[in-house]
Amino acid sequence: MTDAARDALRAFVAERDWGQFHTPENLAKSISIEAAELLELFQWNSEADYQRLRDELADVLTYCVLLADKIDADPQQLVLDKLEQTRAKYPAEKSRGRSEKYDQL
């Protein structure tokens, strides 16, 4: 997420005085709710309306960015740090083309 997007989200929230509701717990709940709405697009078939898919994904990402901001974390750094952890769990030479969990590779 770019600084511009994060700053725009901060301004949007501030203009509405919604920060008071943005506890980590509430933001985590909102991520889950929006993720369920994203999944609902695929409830009865594997094809989803592309614009609705983009909109729901944007909602999920928005709440993720707001939660990261609330805990003073950089979303990009969170992803990079987690990628390093996951890379150690799933070495390419053992996991390429396989879907097993790391403890079963």
Side-chain angles (χ1 to χ4, degrees):
M1 178 72 56
T2 65
D3 288 343
R6 187 203 58 226
D7 293 346
L9 282 171
R10 285 178 178 167
F12 180 86
V13 170
E15 289 167 354
R16 289 154 183 80
D17 193 26
W18 285 351
Q20 62 183 315
F21 308 116
H22 288 180
T23 64
E25 177 186 6
N26 286 346
L27 292 168
K29 288 175 187 177
S30 295
I31 291 167
S32 182
I33 291 164
E34 293 299 339
E37 291 178 12
L38 177 65
L39 185 58
E40 185 179 29
L41 298 177
F42 298 99
Q43 184 173 8
W44 301 114
N45 62 56
S46 61
E47 299 295 319
D49 176 84
Y50 188 68
Q51 187 56 53
R52 289 185 62 204
L53 179 64
R54 291 172 60 92
D55 289 344
E56 293 302 338
L57 181 56
D59 289 343
V60 172
L61 291 169
T62 293
Y63 281 116
C64 288
V65 169
L66 289 170
L67 179 54
D69 197 44
K70 179 59 77 173
I71 65 169
D72 295 321
D74 174 19
Q76 291 184 54
Q77 193 59 53
L78 288 173
V79 170
L80 293 173
D81 291 347
K82 184 63 178 182
L83 181 58
E84 281 303 309
Q85 293 173 19
T86 305
R87 184 176 278 120
K89 281 184 178 179
Y90 294 93
E93 62 276 1
K94 288 185 178 180
S95 59
R96 182 173 287 110
R98 299 177 63 182
S99 63
E100 289 88 2
K101 195 169 176 181
Y102 67 92
D103 62 351
Q104 297 186 5
L105 290 175

